[in-house]
Amino acid sequence: MTAPGGRVTGGAYAIEARTADMRATAAHCEDIAGRTRTIATAAIGEDLALAAVPGSVLAPHTLVSVTGRIAGFELRGQACAASTAALAQALDMAAGAYERADSAVQDAPGRILHLLGLVTGAGLVLGAPARAFSPVAAAWTAVGAAAAWPWRPGTPAGRAAGRAAGGWATAGEILEHFVPGVVRGLTILGPGIPGTPFAVERPRDGAELAELLLLLARARGLMEKSGLEVHEVPASHTDPVDPPAGLTELFRRTAQQNKSREGTGAPNPRQENGEVRVEEILHPDGTRSWIVHVPGTTEWDPGRHDAPTDLTSNAEAVAGHETQAMRLVREAMERAGIAPGEEVLMTGHSQGGRTALGLLEDEEFLVRFNVTAVVTAGSPVATIEVPPEVEVLSIQHADDPVPFLDGGQNPGRAHWTTVTVEAPAGAPPRTGGEAHRSSAYEESIRALEDLGEGTAAGASVGEFLRRHRQFFSGRGGRAREFYGRRRYPPQHENGQEQGGSREHEDGGRFRQAARARPTVGG
């Protein structure tokens, strides 16, 4: 649903939520029909019992009148039951029709863009100088390029096409469907990659492309697997920290976890080592709630370095592996003292949101920690399977390409609300990098909170805050921060690793990693 403040999908605006109401009503109608049948059937028994009364033979006219009325009641009751049951069936069928129609509407534009990308990618392969210089190949390349050009992200034509399509084809959503199509077109006509798990079967999706990236990088000594050491920042917050007053303050604290501590005297030796912040909230009844702030990407060097919040963790997360960033968050939560059953809100920007939701694919993590809510901003999380008992609020910018890098669209489910915020009206065009900055998201979140209940976007944010007010009220407890350092195996002089480490293994706990596809380890 498009409204001031942004387009809202999922949550109260999800087709799933509306059809769930229809199906609940259908079930209620079916229950009423069953009860009505029972009452009408019981009336027949009363009719027979009346005929057996000894005095009934002395008043035959009265007997006939009464039994006729009972029979009429029974017939009308059965008819009412049948009508109510038919209504229940119609509601159920209508819910199914709504779901099928919504799926068709959502899928159709994406399929068109994917096909355009496929044509473009295949055209580039056929037209490459290494392949051929034939007029046919050149023409095919021209067709692909011509098809792609008006749809490229951020162009006036692309935005105009989006408005013509009811606001669907934003720059990010074009990237979401068109670019995977191009990649598929580039690989569909070429051979597999000899000497790799993709020698026969080519990459089919973003996860397998990430697998291939890891494989090729590690063959060149980049994006290496490593162990992890976790350290606490000693007593960086000695006084109690009040709960955040709202979503803006919550996100501001999250964004701070990516900032440099240089010059503060804190023992985190490198500004690239993002820190996990765990905040304790104390309630009058003696219970506790927790907020876990997960840092985003702080290191883009694919070589050896300290930071686990890096490009390697990004690629491993998209490929479906547990990452060192996830291990850092898990250990920070353990060491902070979160007890089983205590409610936890996790929040993250960019990779931080991906890390937070990625942990929900770990069955052991779900058993150990009671995560009830997650807030993400600018995070590529569409392909993650989130348990229905966890409510997710995802905020993304329409001109930020990062949330669409996993080639998917966030599912419009009752427990997952996505607010897509358009670029500010009248503002000069901004790059994808500018749209992805945490400062830009902080401004958008503040604007969403200021909208109030009169808009879909504002109402969605307000409803999320009400449902999870335990994280925004109470008395502040300790706030503890943790950072991680990668630890690599020693190397021989030829650069090969000595030995191995169990720190590198996934342990097979991730549902996403169970998908049938080639793997290179994580």
Side-chain angles (χ1 to χ4, degrees):
M1 178 176 180
T2 304
R7 181 163 49 86
V8 180
T9 58
Y13 300 93
I15 285 291
E16 174 187 287
R18 297 172 186 178
T19 56
D21 290 340
M22 294 174 69
R23 288 202 163 94
T25 303
H28 186 56
C29 288
E30 186 61 46
D31 180 64
I32 292 173
R35 292 173 182 269
T36 305
R37 289 192 198 96
T38 301
I39 294 172
T41 303
I44 299 176
E46 295 298 326
D47 191 8
L48 295 175
L50 183 62
V53 174
S56 62
V57 296
L58 301 178
H61 294 291
T62 302
L63 176 63
V64 170
S65 176
V66 172
T67 56
R69 290 178 181 276
I70 293 175
F73 172 79
E74 191 272 336
L75 289 174
R76 287 191 294 274
Q78 293 291 355
C80 179
S83 176
T84 307
L87 176 61
Q89 185 177 14
L91 283 169
D92 192 65
M93 292 175 64
Y98 273 120
E99 289 169 343
R100 289 189 294 272
D102 181 67
S103 177
V105 169
Q106 294 293 329
D107 291 346
R111 290 175 179 173
I112 293 172
L113 285 177
H114 189 85
L115 179 61
L116 289 171
L118 184 69
V119 170
T120 302
L124 292 172
V125 170
L126 287 174
R131 291 286 182 127
F133 292 94
S134 68
V136 173
W140 187 256
T141 303
V143 168
W149 188 252
W151 296 84
R152 71 192 191 279
T155 62
R159 288 192 292 270
R163 289 191 293 272
W168 173 84
T170 63
E173 289 165 321
I174 291 172
L175 177 66
E176 171 188 342
H177 298 284
F178 180 76
V179 173
V182 173
V183 173
R184 183 64 175 159
L186 289 170
T187 61
I188 197 170
L189 297 177
I193 303 171
T196 75
F198 302 98
V200 177
E201 187 174 3
R202 303 172 189 87
R204 296 167 294 180
D205 55 26
E208 292 188 1
L209 288 171
E211 292 278 11
L212 180 58
L213 171 65
L214 287 168
L215 180 74
L216 297 176
R218 285 169 179 168
R220 292 162 176 77
L222 302 174
M223 293 189 180
E224 296 177 78
K225 295 179 284 187
S226 74
L228 183 70
E229 293 178 356
V230 177
H231 303 270
E232 182 173 2
V233 179
S236 53
H237 298 283
T238 56
D239 297 326
V241 178
D242 290 333
L247 210 59
T248 304
E249 186 176 343
L250 174 78
F251 182 75
R252 184 183 301 119
R253 295 182 188 181
T254 301
Q256 285 295 325
Q257 301 315 111
N258 302 338
K259 303 294 177 63
S260 171
R261 286 186 168 275
E262 188 175 5
T264 65
N268 185 344
R270 290 167 58 89
Q271 69 180 67
E272 293 85 359
N273 293 43
E275 295 171 358
V276 178
R277 176 185 173 101
V278 184
E279 297 177 355
E280 177 187 36
I281 303 171
L282 308 174
H283 300 290
D285 61 359
T287 61
R288 300 186 300 180
S289 301
W290 300 84
I291 297 177
V292 179
H293 301 271
V294 183
T297 306
T298 59
E299 174 62 81
W300 294 95
D301 182 1
R304 290 194 168 194
H305 51 257
D306 282 351
T309 48
D310 61 353
L311 186 62
T312 302
S313 283
N314 284 346
E316 289 174 339
V318 175
H321 299 294
E322 185 178 38
T323 68
Q324 296 296 15
M326 291 179 186
R327 292 186 176 107
L328 168 61
V329 175
R330 183 201 306 273
E331 184 162 342
M333 293 172 69
E334 287 281 4
R335 290 171 58 172
I338 301 177
E342 293 181 329
E343 293 193 48
V344 178
L345 164 69
M346 303 183 73
T347 174
H349 169 244
S350 193
Q351 182 196 25
R354 175 88 193 194
T355 299
L357 283 188
L359 281 165
L360 301 184
E361 294 194 310
D362 183 347
E363 297 287 0
E364 291 183 9
F365 181 86
L366 291 174
V367 171
R368 172 61 184 85
F369 297 105
N370 181 29
V371 178
T372 57
V374 179
V375 177
T376 71
S379 303
V381 293
T383 58
I384 297 176
E385 291 293 330
V386 177
E389 60 270 19
V390 180
E391 183 172 4
V392 180
L393 175 62
S394 291
I395 298 169
Q396 57 192 28
H397 290 151
D399 52 348
D400 177 6
V402 174
F404 308 95
L405 288 178
D406 57 355
Q409 186 174 15
N410 290 356
R413 295 175 182 157
H415 70 289
W416 191 334
T417 301
T418 300
V419 180
T420 303
V421 181
E422 302 292 337
R430 58 186 180 184
T431 66
E434 291 170 338
H436 187 64
R437 288 176 181 167
S438 59
S439 57
Y441 274 100
E442 184 178 332
E443 292 176 7
S444 293
I445 292 171
R446 182 184 297 107
L448 289 173
E449 285 195 290
D450 291 343
L451 282 174
E453 301 293 322
T455 65
S460 296
V461 170
E463 185 60 30
F464 181 89
L465 292 172
R466 280 191 296 274
R467 280 197 295 268
H468 302 286
R469 57 184 176 274
Q470 69 272 28
F471 301 111
F472 302 92
S473 62
R475 183 166 55 88
R478 287 192 61 191
R480 300 172 65 180
E481 294 177 328
F482 302 84
Y483 67 95
R485 287 181 175 177
R486 286 187 178 271
R487 285 296 176 257
Y488 297 92
Q491 293 181 325
H492 291 300
E493 291 184 1
N494 61 5
Q496 296 297 315
E497 294 182 359
Q498 299 183 48
S501 170
R502 294 183 60 84
E503 294 279 356
H504 307 160
E505 301 301 324
D506 273 2
R509 294 190 296 270
F510 275 66
R511 293 194 294 270
Q512 199 174 5
R515 294 186 297 180
R517 64 170 190 260
T519 60
V520 297

